Amino acid sequence: MKFFVDTADLAEIRDLADSGLVDGVTTNPSLIAKSGRNMLDVIAEICDVVPGPVSAEVTATEHADMMAEAEVLAAIAPNVAIKVPLTPDGLKTCKALRDRDIMVNVTLCFSSAQAVLAAKADASFISPFVGRLDDIGLRGLDLIEDIVEIFSQHDAFETEVLVASIRGPAHVVESAMAGAHVATLPPGVLRQLYQHPLTDKGLAAFLKDWKATGQSILEQANERKNAAE
Ligand code: E4P
């Protein structure tokens, strides 16, 4: 399963990319607004840091205007994935961009029917929003399970299921169990995945016992090296 990070904050992206666990980045107009920065600059810098797909969303709502914006965004770097909303114009734009081999992430998916349309439009990624479905009293993960099941029955559908609007580690684990291809994680959620109190407690006990021995792995290695010379 690939991990994307869901942010336009360069400091966060640099820090998390350093872990070696980040396969891509997703942004949206709200995240760009939150960064307080010029969109084209931010996307270019993110593409320099992360070689995997970096989603940059069009803000136009009509096909011709979406295509014009997509031209600009796709020219930033080869790893830009153009993000389009799940509307008739968005999917028309998706198909046109895919015919030119440009990656496309179809966003704002809230139903299996919409996901099937995106796959028909040859989207590279479909982004179902689990958290926003949970917010209205539905189980967002049901949608992920349904889409993964549908796509698994149709070899012609090459679209990857990119779980978006993730609110916590449970969403990530359940998405992995459902067989989703990608999860896009807010930085805080990615950090939460590392955490378990028994890990902290166990490590503290190991280090205490180790310290009491007075031993050092590197010193012992040096001693062996010196003895062999
Ligand atoms: C990612 O592509 C989406 O834009 C994002 O995950 C939405 O998350 P939110 O529902 O927390 O805003």
Side-chain angles (χ1 to χ4, degrees):
M1 184 187 210
K2 285 174 269 192
F3 277 1
F4 291 178
V5 281
D6 197 24
T7 182
D9 182 329
L10 251 302
E12 290 276 34
I13 292 167
R14 285 202 179 89
D15 185 51
L16 293 169
D18 202 41
S19 69
L21 302 181
V22 172
D23 303 297
V25 176
T26 51
T27 67
N28 62 37
S30 303
L31 293 170
I32 296 288
K34 196 171 160 198
S35 79
R37 298 194 53 210
N38 173 306
M39 177 171 178
L40 300 193
D41 292 346
V42 175
I43 297 296
E45 287 176 42
I46 296 173
C47 288
D48 277 346
V49 176
V50 177
V54 173
S55 291
E57 188 161 342
V58 297
T59 57
T61 53
E62 297 192 4
H63 172 63
D65 300 329
M66 286 181 177
M67 288 300 290
E69 290 187 354
E71 292 275 358
V72 173
L73 297 172
I76 294 174
N79 56 324
V80 167
I82 304 298
K83 212 172 176 191
V84 298
L86 210 153
T87 61
D89 284 75
L91 292 187
K92 187 174 171 186
T93 303
C94 172
K95 187 77 181 74
L97 294 172
R98 294 296 298 134
D99 287 346
R100 291 168 47 187
D101 230 14
I102 294 171
M103 278 189 290
V104 180
N105 176 0
V106 176
T107 190
L108 292 167
C109 171
F110 294 95
S111 77
S112 297
Q114 291 179 321
V116 170
L117 281 176
K120 290 284 294 172
D122 195 26
S124 314
F125 305 102
I126 178 67
S127 290
F129 279 35
V130 293
R132 294 191 194 188
L133 284 170
D134 289 356
D135 289 346
I136 60 164
L138 299 173
R139 182 175 178 267
L141 259 301
D142 284 347
L143 177 59
I144 303 303
E145 290 164 8
D146 289 351
I147 298 172
V148 169
E149 169 64 19
I150 292 166
F151 284 10
S152 75
Q153 293 185 33
H154 298 274
D155 290 344
F157 289 172
E158 292 180 355
T159 304
E160 294 190 33
V161 180
L162 191 171
V163 184
S165 189
I166 281 179
R167 299 285 159 76
H171 276 157
V172 182
V173 173
E174 288 174 47
S175 299
M177 285 174 67
H181 306 88
V182 191
T184 188
L185 284 64
V189 174
L190 181 42
R191 293 199 178 90
Q192 274 182 292
L193 293 183
Y194 287 92
Q195 293 165 12
H196 197 287
L198 290 180
T199 303
D200 298 338
K201 191 178 168 198
L203 182 59
F206 286 158
L207 293 179
K208 182 168 172 268
D209 291 344
W210 177 246
K211 196 172 176 192
T213 69
Q215 296 186 47
S216 156
I217 293 171
L218 296 183
E219 276 175 19
Q220 288 176 25
N222 270 335
E223 283 164 15
R224 285 185 167 217
K225 195 174 156 208
N226 292 338
E229 284 171 359

